[in-house]
Amino acid sequence: MTRRYELDDDSVVVVIGSGAGGGTVSNELAQRGIDVVCLEAGNRLSLSDVVNDSAAMDRKMGWHDKRLGAPVWLCKTVGGTTMRWSGVTPRFRDFEFRPRSTYGELGDTSLIDWPLTLEELLPYYDKAEGKMGISGTHGTPPSFETSNFKVLRAGGQRIGYRQITSERSAINSVARDGRPACQQIGFCWAGCAVGAKWSTLYTEIPKAERTDHFELRTGAMALKIEHDANGKVRSVVYADANGAVQEQKARAVCVAGNVVETTRLLHNSRSSLFPEGLGNGSGHLGRNYMRHVMSLTLAIMPGPVNFHRGTRQSGIILDEQRHDDSRGFAGGYIIETAADQPYGIAAMIGGWGREAADFMDQYTHIAGCWITGEDPPQAHNRITFHATERDAYGLPVPVLEYTDHSNSTAMRQHAVRQSESLYESLGAKRLESRPDVGGGCHNMGVARMSDRPADGVTNRWGRLHDIPNLFVSDGSLFPSSAAPNPTLTIVALAIRQAEHIAETMARREL
Amino acid sequence: MNHNRMTRRRFVVSVIALSGAAGSAMAPGLFESSLAWAASPGRIDEDVRRAMVRMARLLYPHDALPDQVYADVLDQALSDVAAGPDFARQLEEANAALAKVSAGAWQELDAAGQAEAMRAVETEPYFAAIRNQVQAGIYNGSAFWKQVGYPGPSKDFGGYLHRGAGEIDWLPEDL
């Protein structure tokens, strides 16, 4: 069924990573008859490997190679973080593609506008939503209303919110595309046991395989991208599942390893022609690393909520996804339901003693929400590499430097006040808010798109400014984070990029 | 196990301050030692063990849970081939430190006094290690789940779609 390509076949596009970006660009290219070799560092799980045990699943699919500095929460498995994500898929709004123009100069940031507009991305949002089965789009109903969502909606209405919806989830609200409807199992973070949640593991990857234009190599860790004397990429060096070093020739390469690995691979591929790393003529590679403003609010409600009965993120409030200076900060945020198993809740709340235990005794009465908000790019938030420390692949250990901007602090304070008053309006008996819970699950920036080569790493198609056949296909492309969870936009950009690659190949420009 | 719990903690809890808390009102429980414990890679004296079971309860005092639940959590961590010996040393360090701040009489203090002594050492690495183990053991444990009404994994019974998902009966209707 699946095609096998020779290492010296230089007609293939090599895609590095099989998650939201890599899995999508692979399938979109293969559907257009373009031969693709996808290198995935992790293993290939099947649905029968998925158990309702977050720690056990983290051992199976988490990325545990050594990293220093700000923690990130990523996956090393076929499907990447689409195995772990919660499936929340709001679109960016128009102003979020023009943050620099909308917010003006924001001190201590490297804010730029996107080199594309909402209008330009709309057709690809639509295609992405059709592909992923986003609830409330393409004729599918909204998602099932969990009790946690009903609390969020009731409280939201009481404090004046109007844009409250259980639409916009990439978890099937009805059986669709050969996958069942959500059964409200409640362990989305541990991987969906029935495949109702969109993951490239059981959508894009097998669809690509059925085209006969695609080969997936698992346990294949990309180490270096090689180029010719003219600066055109010609091959990818990788360690195979047995640890042997291989070199796959390539017509073009798409890098989608999530921000840390994407930065490391481009950095590690530096040469006499590109002494600071591939695509780093501007000095922006690894910089402008963004991870969203987040905070969590949990509330003990007057009656049972039982938020373990269902998806952990089952509805959103979009009223704060706007720019309004009177709130004291630039950009917007989205309020989303949040739920977790008892241990997850205890760990997030922290502390010890009678107060902590009393909170946990009321587990069935907890309602919860968290926010994801725009995190302005800062040049000094960046991914660098340890001077001497090497990991098991012999690669330099990544170091993540990240500090909050004052805009983020102000936004978080506003979000906590709103979240708490939402639950207070319904008679919450106790509130616990925690800043920064979840930091490191949304990762953006580091290879951002820009009109001017001096402002970024990649152009409006995600192609490196200074290398004609090397692309970035993951969230590293984002010039700004906007408020929404990033996956929908990653998928839309990947579809658009694949279309562009196919067109330029047809014109023999690539 | 220990490593993975710690890993999970690191990413779940990025920036969380310890919150102060009052101690348990329960009297220290008497305790029978078990053979399973005696064979563990991590070994501690019976007196240390008794104190640490008490500390485990004061970390997460659930009155409905018997001492045996807390003891099992410690024994489970001590039985880990790789991490057990380290955990034994951490328990001994905690025991010695609590004795030191209590003039050698920590186990004789009332619950409030015992918790106060714990607060005096709560920033020590061994304290965090023990707290993390007890937190994971208690809240990933079936005894707590049963007591609080959380059924655990739901995949095998087909999820909650037809088992109470969306049910809520107390929300106001005047919205």
Side-chain angles (χ1 to χ4, degrees), chain A residues 123-176:
Chain A
Y124 301 98
Y125 269 149
D126 187 62
K127 285 177 185 174
E129 287 159 3
K131 174 195 286 292
M132 302 165 84
I134 305 306
S135 63
T137 76
H138 294 263
T140 64
S143 299
F144 179 88
E145 294 181 357
T146 66
S147 53
N148 199 25
F149 171 69
K150 289 175 179 174
V151 175
L152 186 84
R153 179 175 57 194
Q157 287 171 343
R158 281 221 160 158
I159 65 168
Y161 287 143
R162 292 295 171 261
Q163 302 170 48
I164 308 173
T165 181
S166 70
E167 297 180 349
R168 310 223 60 86
S169 168
I171 302 173
N172 273 353
S173 56
V174 287
R176 189 180 181 281

Side-chain angles (χ1 to χ4, degrees), chain A residues 104-262:
Chain A
E105 188 173 1
L106 206 54
D108 298 323
T109 73
S110 47
L111 199 60
I112 57 171
D113 289 343
W114 284 54
L116 62 153
T117 61
L118 173 62
E119 193 179 8
E120 193 176 347
L121 201 59
L122 277 178
Y124 301 98
Y125 269 149
D126 187 62
K127 285 177 185 174
E129 287 159 3
K131 174 195 286 292
M132 302 165 84
I134 305 306
S135 63
T137 76
H138 294 263
T140 64
S143 299
F144 179 88
E145 294 181 357
T146 66
S147 53
N148 199 25
F149 171 69
K150 289 175 179 174
V151 175
L152 186 84
R153 179 175 57 194
Q157 287 171 343
R158 281 221 160 158
I159 65 168
Y161 287 143
R162 292 295 171 261
Q163 302 170 48
I164 308 173
T165 181
S166 70
E167 297 180 349
R168 310 223 60 86
S169 168
I171 302 173
N172 273 353
S173 56
V174 287
R176 189 180 181 281
D177 197 26
R179 296 181 290 117
C182 177
Q183 296 176 14
Q184 306 300 324
I185 290 171
F187 283 80
C188 308
W189 275 1
C192 181
V194 298
K197 180 180 79 175
W198 184 80
S199 168
T200 52
L201 172 68
Y202 39 77
T203 58
E204 303 307 296
I205 297 299
K207 285 179 184 187
E209 285 173 334
R210 286 195 289 273
T211 65
D212 203 31
H213 289 288
F214 176 78
E215 178 186 349
L216 176 71
R217 293 184 195 155
T218 59
M221 177 71 185
L223 304 172
K224 191 175 185 192
I225 298 170
E226 299 282 6
H227 62 77
D228 63 20
N230 299 320
K232 254 188 107 175
V233 162
R234 66 162 191 242
S235 67
V236 177
V237 177
Y238 67 98
D240 71 14
N242 300 316
V245 174
Q246 308 288 359
E247 184 167 355
Q248 173 65 53
K249 289 193 175 168
R251 177 178 183 178
V253 174
C254 295
V255 183
N258 208 312
V259 292
V260 180
E261 294 310 319
T262 291

Side-chain angles (χ1 to χ4, degrees), chain A residues 255 258-270 274-289 378-385 445-448 453-458 464-467 470 472 474 476-477:
Chain A
V255 183
N258 208 312
V259 292
V260 180
E261 294 310 319
T262 291
T263 303
R264 182 159 71 166
L265 183 60
L266 296 177
H267 170 83
N268 207 48
S269 302
R270 63 194 179 281
F274 301 106
E276 304 302 321
L278 301 184
N280 201 20
S282 64
H284 280 292
L285 177 65
R287 292 188 182 271
N288 313 306
Y289 167 49
Q378 302 176 82
H380 58 78
N381 281 345
R382 62 186 301 211
I383 297 168
T384 60
F385 300 92
V446 311
R448 71 184 187 182
D455 289 337
V457 176
T458 49
L464 270 66
H465 280 300
D466 43 9
I467 300 182
L470 179 54
V472 171
D474 61 17
S476 308
L477 293 171

Side-chain angles (χ1 to χ4, degrees), chain A residues 425-447:
Chain A
S425 78
L426 298 170
K429 295 175 172 173
R430 180 173 162 187
L431 293 159
E432 295 289 345
S433 290
R434 296 290 181 272
D436 279 359
V437 165
C441 55
H442 296 176
N443 298 282
M444 297 149 289
V446 311

